[in-house]
Amino acid sequence: MRKKSVSYAKYGYIFSIPFVVAFLVFSLYPIVYTLVIGFTDLRGLGVKEYHFLRTAEGNLDLFGNFRTVLNNKTFTTSLKNTIILWTANFIPQISMALLLTAWFTDRNFKVKGQGAYKILIYMPNIITAATIAILFNSLFGYPKGPVNDLLMKLKCIDGPRNFSLQRWTARGVVSFIQFWMWYGNTMIVLIAGVLGINPSLFEAAEIDGATPTQIFFRITLPLLRTILLYVLVTSMIGGLQMFDIPKLFLNGGPDQATITSSMFIHEQAFSGSYLYNRASAASIIVFGIIIVLSIILFQILKDKDEVARRKYLRAQRKAARRRVNS
Amino acid sequence: MNARHGSIRAKRITYKTIVYVVCTFLALLSIFPFWIMFMNATRSTYEIQQSSISLVPSKYFMSNWKILTGKAFSPMTGFINSMTVSVGVTVLAVYFSSLTAYALMAYSWKLRQAFFSFIMAIMMIPAQLSSIGFYQFIYRIGMTNKFTPLIVPAIASPAMVFFMRQYLMAALPLEIVDSARIDGSREFATFNRIILPIMKPALATQAIFSFVGSWNNLFIPLILLTNKKKYTMPIMVSLLRGDIYKTEYGSVYLGLSLTVLPLFVIYFMLAKYIIAGVALGALKE
């Protein structure tokens, strides 16, 4: 539109060069490289040469590593655990965040000290996950540890319990840590979403005699759809890469109950066995799962009304332009 | 009529009480683990074994410090290394993201829309899952145990570019750029001298998140840094989990406290901005 800016167009390209170069070298290349390694025999510390996998007869056998990994019991266990741990943290996380959002955005009753509550509830999110994992490991210590002491003082249990030996307790604690670190973040995001909704919608509903519960489920929740999708997808992508907490809390134990797929990848490649090819194959599989799940989520939660509305607007704009031109 | 009115009031009071009780409980739940940690950092192993919860400090801070630093854990090294990496990451990420966002916003070029869609698409790429390729690449060029491969990739931070672009769209009138041109300012100088200062609030918010994110990162540093002198804070922390500190409860709590302390200082100084930043980052339109 502006004639002058055309001559400056080259700066658009020039200023984007650093980003593009850094992306190609440090993001895209490693992804492609990982994919390639997944098809090869690259293993062993310091080995730089590799060949594509072949069968004994010399035919190409590209998916050998993928087969090995998929048949590996630890890998399937780690995938299952990752999904269990993520689900067990996400459902309470989103429920608690929604509840707090409903309270903190209540139009009839302003919670006093809201700022302080938000600050404290969000706080665990910025603390190093590695530190938190080890802190919880100490807190759940056996036979003497703060949690055991507290439960015994409150007469919840008779004697000290060894939490790190029970599979479901260990999973529960890992999920709890994830929940505790993230529900504050989700809450802040959701509150921002609610504050972005046009207040006249709430006023109209109140005048029509809707109860706060009705307003929350019929107006607030549907309008939060996009933000809920954003929370769900980012949490899922983060959750499927869960590493720090399960690694440093119980190192995957007891009996592989908290080993996650990222831990499996790390163990295959970096702690003693140097099976880079298998770790790559496992990474690609998890990557694939993330892509498929994200697409499904987008399809399910895509706001159909919004899509229709945009289409309608575009058609109208076109029509208007045609009218002006003719 | 009166009775009904009374029951509604009673309901409202119950509701308010529940809200305050639950919120206070959750706030305490956030503080409690850290409180125990800070207190136990000053208590001896014997005291902790007697009773592992104490709301008041004891006087064994120095002896815990001596045990802690007498073994593998070196808080100063970890602190300086983490500082180097995080400051490097933050500076590069913030500067180049602003530059890219400016390119997307101020100039009309053919591939602009395509480039923006591309940035949206790569925003959620899970970096950890290409770590094998990344490690092999860095290993081949002989850069393991160096900080450069941890810092330089920050030049491409898609999510931050997205955020900066949103900010520029709202805050930068293009007339400013035009008048700078009339005054004879060259494009790059305009960006450095005029645009960057306008972006200060956005730079500050993004700098905090970039810094904290880098400071807390464990996976990539863990696979690249094998030399103890290069360990960052999270790797240093993971040493506390090992056998060498098995029975030294007080020192473990002290080591953990040392890693939390800088984050606490940053957080409680800037909490208002951080929370506003989280809220802003979520609003994508």
Side-chain angles (χ1 to χ4, degrees):
Chain A
M1 260 165 271
R2 240 182 272 180
K3 255 194 178 155
K4 250 192 299 176
S5 61
V6 174
S7 58
Y8 290 107
K10 68 171 185 203
Y11 289 101
Y13 292 97
I14 295 173
F15 289 175
S16 305
I17 289 173
F19 180 97
V20 174
V21 171
F23 173 77
L24 292 179
V25 175
F26 296 108
S27 272
L28 190 64
Y29 178 61
I31 292 173
V32 176
Y33 201 6
T34 307
L35 185 65
V36 172
I37 292 172
F39 297 129
T40 68
D41 60 356
L42 183 67
R43 56 203 289 180
L45 185 64
V47 174
K48 286 188 178 170
E49 264 177 54
Y50 55 84
H51 315 276
F52 287 108
L53 285 184
R54 285 177 190 282
T55 55
E57 296 89 49
N59 299 320
L60 270 185
D61 176 33
L62 288 180
F63 295 95
N65 294 320
F66 290 83
R67 265 201 312 278
T68 320
V69 167
L70 285 171
N71 286 324
N72 185 322
K73 254 215 141 125
T74 310
F75 180 68
T76 41
T77 309
S78 75
L79 261 186
K80 200 184 81 192
N81 286 338
T82 312
I83 291 165
I84 293 175
L85 293 173
W86 178 72
T87 317
N89 114 73
F90 188 74
I91 294 173
Q93 179 191 320
I94 196 83
S95 315
M96 183 57 94
L98 278 171
L99 180 69
L100 290 171
T101 303
W103 285 351
F104 285 160
T105 56
D106 192 328
R107 291 161 53 80
N108 300 314
F109 159 52
K110 197 160 164 24
V111 180
K112 286 191 195 95
Q114 219 179 93
Y117 283 131
K118 282 183 198 162
I119 288 175
L120 290 175
I121 287 173
Y122 176 75
M123 190 222 351
N125 195 236
I126 63 140
I127 306 297
T128 319
T131 302
I132 287 181
I134 296 174
L135 175 60
F136 272 76
N137 181 265
S138 305
L139 294 180
F140 281 89
Y142 171 85
K144 288 299 285 184
V147 173
N148 264 321
D149 279 12
L150 191 68
L151 289 177
M152 273 156 72
K153 259 182 211 151
L154 297 173
K155 304 265 189 265
C156 292
I157 50 174
D158 303 328
R161 296 259 293 267
N162 195 343
F163 298 98
S164 57
L165 282 183
Q166 291 154 321
R167 296 169 60 85
W168 284 98
T169 320
R171 282 181 183 149
V173 177
V174 172
S175 303
F176 172 77
I177 300 174
Q178 294 280 350
F179 158 81
W180 179 73
M181 282 186 75
W182 285 96
Y183 78 101
N185 185 301
T186 307
M187 171 193 79
I188 306 280
V189 169
L190 293 179
I191 290 176
V194 174
L195 295 181
I197 297 173
N198 186 348
S200 60
L201 288 174
F202 296 119
E203 277 156 28
E206 273 164 16
I207 291 168
D208 289 346
T211 64
T213 322
Q214 280 176 328
I215 292 179
F216 185 75
F217 282 101
R218 303 273 174 82
I219 296 179
T220 316
L221 264 191
L223 288 172
L224 280 182
R225 209 183 166 112
T226 326
I227 292 208
L228 285 172
L229 174 67
Y230 164 77
V231 169
L232 184 59
V233 172
T234 45
S235 165
M236 187 199 70
I237 294 177
L240 289 182
Q241 299 181 77
M242 205 185 297
F243 178 76
D244 305 15
I245 301 274
K247 167 85 183 161
L248 291 171
F249 179 57
L250 291 173
N251 200 10
D255 189 24
Q256 300 194 332
T258 59
I259 190 173
T260 61
S261 38
S262 278
M263 284 177 67
F264 176 81
I265 293 167
H266 183 261
E267 261 164 38
Q268 290 283 303
F270 301 107
S271 42
S273 35
Y274 309 109
L275 297 165
Y276 299 114
N277 51 354
R278 287 191 196 157
S280 294
S283 305
I284 302 295
I285 294 170
V286 179
F287 212 139
I289 294 174
I290 287 183
I291 292 174
V292 171
L293 285 181
S294 303
I295 292 173
I296 293 175
L297 286 178
F298 273 114
Q299 290 303 326
I300 293 176
L301 283 165
K302 195 166 61 184
D303 197 335
K304 285 179 192 117
D305 299 340
E306 179 65 19
V307 176
R309 197 177 64 91
R310 277 195 194 157
K311 233 184 204 167
Y312 174 74
L313 281 179
R314 218 177 299 142
Q316 271 207 328
R317 235 177 287 142
K318 247 187 209 162
R321 219 173 297 146
R322 229 174 289 137
R323 234 171 291 138
V324 170
N325 289 344
S326 62
Chain B
M1 193 69 189
N2 246 343
R4 207 176 136 209
H5 201 76
S7 90
I8 289 175
R9 255 194 68 178
K11 255 189 197 162
R12 286 209 59 78
I13 290 174
T14 330
Y15 167 67
K16 284 183 189 180
T17 317
I18 291 175
V19 170
Y20 283 115
V21 169
V22 172
C23 289
T24 309
F25 172 76
L26 292 175
L28 289 177
L29 191 65
S30 287
I31 303 170
F32 195 57
F34 297 111
W35 189 263
I36 294 178
M37 176 186 74
F38 283 126
M39 293 308 119
N40 280 351
T42 66
R43 303 171 74 216
S44 71
T45 297
Y46 177 74
E47 282 176 324
I48 296 172
Q49 273 177 333
Q50 288 308 301
S51 152
S52 47
I53 300 177
S54 165
L55 297 179
V56 290
S58 179
K59 49 186 188 296
Y60 290 92
F61 176 81
M62 273 325 284
S63 72
N64 283 341
W65 175 270
K66 270 182 202 137
I67 296 169
L68 177 72
T69 51
K71 298 184 180 181
F73 191 90
S74 162
M76 245 1 240
T77 314
F79 187 84
I80 291 169
N81 291 342
S82 277
M83 220 34 165
T84 315
V85 174
S86 302
V87 168
V89 163
T90 306
V91 170
L92 289 188
V94 165
Y95 183 81
F96 285 102
S97 299
S98 312
L99 186 67
T100 315
Y102 183 63
L104 276 169
M105 193 259 166
Y107 303 103
S108 42
W109 36 298
K110 222 179 186 175
L111 294 175
R112 173 159 85 162
Q113 199 47 48
F115 185 50
F116 182 61
S117 311
F118 169 73
I119 285 181
M120 294 279 283
I122 61 173
M123 209 153 61
M124 291 184 177
I125 286 184
Q128 214 163 286
L129 293 175
S130 56
S131 59
I132 309 293
F134 187 68
Y135 171 79
Q136 287 292 332
F137 165 48
I138 300 304
Y139 180 77
R140 269 166 182 266
I141 58 172
M143 295 287 272
T144 52
N145 281 318
K146 297 220 165 60
F147 292 145
T148 327
L150 295 174
I151 296 173
V152 179
I155 292 174
S157 311
M160 203 189 279
V161 174
F162 181 85
F163 181 91
M164 295 295 193
R165 178 182 171 272
Q166 302 302 90
Y167 185 83
L168 274 178
M169 303 268 273
L172 179 74
L174 279 177
E175 288 72 31
I176 294 183
V177 183
D178 283 338
S179 51
R181 275 175 197 150
I182 292 165
D183 290 344
S185 169
R186 293 171 64 189
E187 296 303 301
F188 192 51
T190 308
F191 172 74
N192 285 328
R193 299 219 190 103
I194 298 167
I195 309 301
L196 274 185
I198 293 177
M199 294 181 74
K200 250 187 206 154
L203 298 181
T205 320
Q206 289 302 299
I208 299 170
F209 287 108
S210 174
F211 185 89
V212 172
S214 167
W215 184 274
N216 290 342
N217 190 11
L218 172 68
F219 195 91
I220 302 291
L222 187 65
I223 61 175
L224 288 184
L225 307 173
T226 49
N227 180 348
K228 278 197 173 139
K229 289 200 181 105
K230 297 284 182 179
Y231 279 3
T232 56
M233 222 44 173
I235 309 182
M236 216 48 108
V237 168
S238 68
L239 296 175
L240 295 173
R241 178 80 168 72
D243 284 334
I244 37 172
Y245 291 103
K246 195 137 211 174
T247 52
E248 305 294 350
Y249 299 127
S251 320
V252 170
Y253 282 112
L254 178 61
L256 294 172
S257 306
L258 290 175
T259 66
V260 172
L261 212 57
L263 289 168
F264 261 40
V265 172
I266 294 182
Y267 183 64
F268 285 111
M269 268 167 39
L270 304 171
K272 254 171 87 183
Y273 303 97
I274 293 177
I275 286 181
V278 178
L280 235 113
L283 296 178
K284 315 225 134 170
E285 253 177 300

